[in-house]
């Protein structure tokens, strides 16, 4: 069995679904079900004995220890986190709590559990920590992309909290011999992404005829990766990654935000035409994100060279699948947009106009 944390969120639920589509090895899924966690993502696994869901906090060491002792997983994959940069700017406390203290609690439980394992299981055990390219800070237009040896320089409370968790994971390898693996990935997109992040926000605002908010001049660059490619990279690192190593994961697909928004408008103009004009007319420039990183780019050659991973999707294929998924799953969108979502939108966009 593998033990996944945050498996009801965007990437975690895609990972669990992909894993069980390819393997019969059961998944123990621990998720706190914050605003970003949604069991509807996993509805296709209802009644599937290979998926065991537990609601709880990664920082609850007693709970985690009890689950580890009872189910004896061969690996922990830590997806659980507070993940939205804008939320970390308006309220950093939860990010410190989950991303730093939570990861610490999980590592402590893993250390205690592993210490009781027989030697062969101890050596085979893995703690895989899912992290982000944002820990490396920001790049100038002509800088080389982030590699595994780029110095950490996080700029937001979110990225600082992820950097702290990466350092804790690293320290548990060096100090306690924990067989850890860390992945640092670029921006993901695809099914089940919560519509507060750029791509699903633009799709759902466009369909509702609402403004498409572009921060600042829209020339910030991100490297976009389709979520199932990220999941495949994580499976490969779990299978063959070298304990103590970090692996950068990226899509070789740098794009300015405004180009991403225009691409989405073009697809929507074809797939769900709007009466009276193009969706582009809804693009609205709004006040920038404080401390907004200008450019991220990932050098993913280590993962390709050492473990043979490359993304299967191009941005063109992945983004079309994504738009079609959102068009076909409007009920899922409506469901997550009820209640507290509206408060967040009001809070984040109120002072930007
Ligand atoms: P998400 O916000 O969609 O999901 C996070 C999940 O973690 C939710 O299900 C939430 O309920 C759960 N969670 C939060 N706090 C918890 C806690 N204390 N205990 C247990 N569960 C908790 O995030 P995501 O976009 O799926 O990101 C998953 C991981 O991948 C994060 O660690 C993030 O930093 C990393 N990452 C994300 C991206 C991206 O583009 N989304 C890119 C690179 C890395
Ligand atoms: O790089 C990996 C990171 O990608 C992950 O670690 C984070 O968990 C994930 O949320 C994502 O962070 P970003 O801040 O890059 O994602 P977001 O979708 O919030 O924003 C993408 C870009 O679009 C960013 O430059 C800000 C901009 N943006 C975002 C929103 C929500 C806008 O211009 N308008 C918006 O309304």
């Amino acid at each position: 069995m593998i033990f996944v944390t945050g498996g009801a969120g965007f990437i975690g639920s895609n990972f669990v679904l992909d894993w069980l589509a390819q393997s019969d090895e059961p998944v123990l899924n621990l998720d706190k079900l914050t605003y970003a966690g949604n069991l509807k993502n996993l509805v296709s696994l209802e009644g599937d004995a290979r998926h065991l869901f537990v609601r709880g906090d990664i920082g609850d060491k007693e709970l985690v220890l009890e689950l580890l002792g009872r189910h004896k997983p061969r690996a922990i994959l830590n997806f659980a986190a507070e993940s939205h940069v804008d939320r970390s700017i308006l309220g950093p406390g939860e990010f410190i709590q989950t991303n730093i203290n939570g990861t610490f609690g999980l590592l402590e439980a893993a250390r205690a559990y592993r210490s009781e394992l027989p030697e062969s299981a101890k050596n085979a055990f893995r703690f895989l920590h899912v992290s982000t390219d944002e820990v490396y800070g920001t790049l100038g237009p002509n800088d080389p992309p982030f590699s595994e040896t780029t110095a950490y320089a996080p700029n937001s409370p979110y990225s600082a909290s992820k950097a702290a968790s990466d350092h804790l994971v690293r320290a548990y390898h060096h100090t306690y011999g924990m067989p850890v693996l860390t992945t640092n990935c670029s921006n993901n997109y695809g099914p089940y992404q919560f519509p507060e992040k750029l791509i699903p926000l633009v799709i759902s605002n466009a369909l509702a005829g609402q403004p498409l908010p572009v921060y600042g001049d829209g020339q910030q660059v991100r490297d976009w990766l389709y979520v199932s490619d990220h999941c495949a990279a994580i499976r490969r690192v779990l299978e063959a990654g070298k304990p103590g190593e970090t692996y950068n994961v990226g899509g070789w697909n740098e794009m300015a935000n405004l180009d991403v928004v225009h691409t989405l408008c073009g697809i929507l103009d074809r797939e769900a035409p709007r009466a009276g004009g193009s969706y582009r007319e809804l693009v609205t420039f709004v006040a920038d994100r404080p401390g907004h990183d200008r450019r991220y780019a990932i050098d993913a050659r280590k993962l390709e060279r050492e473990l043979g991973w490359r993304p299967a999707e191009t941005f063109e294929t992945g983004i079309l699948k994504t738009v079609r998924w959102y068009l076909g799953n409007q009920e899922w969108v409506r469901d997550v947009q009820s209640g507290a979502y509206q408060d967040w939108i009001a809070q984040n966009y109120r002072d930007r106009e």
Side-chain angles (χ1 to χ4, degrees):
M1 168 178 271
I2 60 166
F3 183 175
V4 166
T5 72
F10 163 49
I11 303 173
S13 63
N14 274 282
F15 182 86
V16 171
L17 293 170
D18 285 4
W19 179 272
L20 291 175
Q22 306 188 16
S23 158
D24 277 333
E25 184 174 10
V27 176
L28 172 61
N29 182 354
L30 176 69
D31 195 297
K32 189 177 170 183
L33 296 181
T34 67
Y35 78 95
N38 185 354
L39 284 178
K40 293 221 164 97
N41 302 2
L42 300 164
V43 77
S44 62
L45 296 177
E46 258 171 31
D48 189 329
R50 299 172 305 163
H51 179 235
L52 182 63
F53 182 81
V54 177
R55 184 174 192 176
D57 195 314
I58 55 166
D60 183 345
K61 188 182 158 195
E62 296 311 309
L63 170 68
V64 175
L65 253 182
E66 192 270 317
L67 290 170
L68 291 171
R70 183 143 47 103
H71 298 286
K72 307 243 176 310
R74 67 172 173 99
I76 296 175
L77 289 84
N78 184 29
F79 292 85
E82 287 293 333
S83 72
H84 189 193
V85 174
D86 291 319
R87 284 187 191 253
S88 83
I89 294 167
L90 289 169
E94 280 298 313
F95 288 72
I96 305 306
Q97 193 51 42
T98 282
N99 300 357
I100 305 180
N101 295 336
T103 303
F104 167 63
L106 192 64
L107 281 165
E108 276 292 274
R111 182 162 78 94
Y113 164 67
R114 183 172 168 269
S115 72
E116 301 291 320
L117 292 176
E119 210 53 34
S120 61
K122 202 179 261 174
N123 294 334
F125 183 77
R126 296 288 181 270
F127 186 103
L128 191 153
H129 180 61
V130 180
S131 192
T132 171
D133 60 359
E134 300 204 10
V135 297
Y136 298 120
T138 189
L139 293 168
N142 300 315
D143 289 338
F146 302 130
S147 78
E148 288 79 0
T149 54
T150 303
Y152 274 31
N155 289 320
S156 72
Y158 163 69
S159 54
S161 67
K162 289 295 290 187
S165 67
D166 293 8
H167 290 322
L168 281 171
V169 169
R170 176 190 156 90
Y172 272 61
H173 175 69
H174 282 267
T175 305
Y176 304 118
M178 176 78 76
V180 306
L181 300 157
T182 298
T183 54
N184 293 90
C185 188
S186 61
N187 284 61
N188 284 213
Y189 65 98
Y192 302 115
Q193 187 166 29
F194 194 78
E196 64 182 0
K197 307 281 175 79
L198 180 69
I199 286 179
L201 179 90
V202 165
I203 298 170
S204 66
N205 278 20
L207 294 174
Q210 288 169 1
L212 311 181
V214 173
Y215 294 167
D217 62 2
Q219 293 308 311
Q220 305 82 7
V221 170
R222 297 290 182 268
D223 166 32
W224 294 95
L225 179 70
Y226 191 63
V227 63
S228 65
D229 278 325
H230 186 190
C231 295
I234 291 169
R235 289 197 302 275
R236 185 67 190 134
V237 170
L238 178 66
E239 179 179 51
K242 195 165 158 238
E245 294 285 313
T246 69
Y247 297 90
N248 281 0
V249 188
W252 299 108
N253 182 67
E254 286 183 57
M255 278 178 89
N257 292 338
L258 190 58
D259 294 333
V260 171
V261 174
H262 284 160
T263 301
L264 289 167
C265 292
I267 297 173
L268 286 167
D269 283 340
R270 290 194 301 279
E271 302 274 323
R274 170 173 177 258
S278 166
Y279 287 102
R280 271 194 185 218
E281 290 157 23
L282 298 173
V283 170
T284 307
F285 290 91
V286 299
D288 210 348
R289 173 185 280 175
H292 200 170
D293 286 337
R294 195 69 181 164
R295 174 178 166 237
Y296 303 143
I298 276 278
D299 177 346
R301 281 178 299 177
K302 177 178 173 183
L303 188 51
E304 179 169 3
R305 194 175 57 243
E306 296 186 8
L307 303 183
W309 175 89
R310 264 193 81 81
E313 300 287 345
T314 62
F315 189 69
E316 287 68 30
T317 59
I319 200 70
L320 184 59
K321 280 187 190 177
T322 303
V323 171
R324 287 184 175 158
W325 186 87
Y326 279 91
L327 287 172
N329 289 275
Q330 284 295 293
E331 203 182 312
W332 181 92
V333 177
R334 271 193 296 278
D335 196 61
V336 298
Q337 285 180 332
S338 62
Y341 177 80
Q342 302 302 337
D343 301 337
W344 162 254
I345 293 294
Q347 190 189 6
N348 191 41
Y349 294 96
R350 187 176 43 219
D351 299 326
R352 291 188 187 273
E353 286 153 17

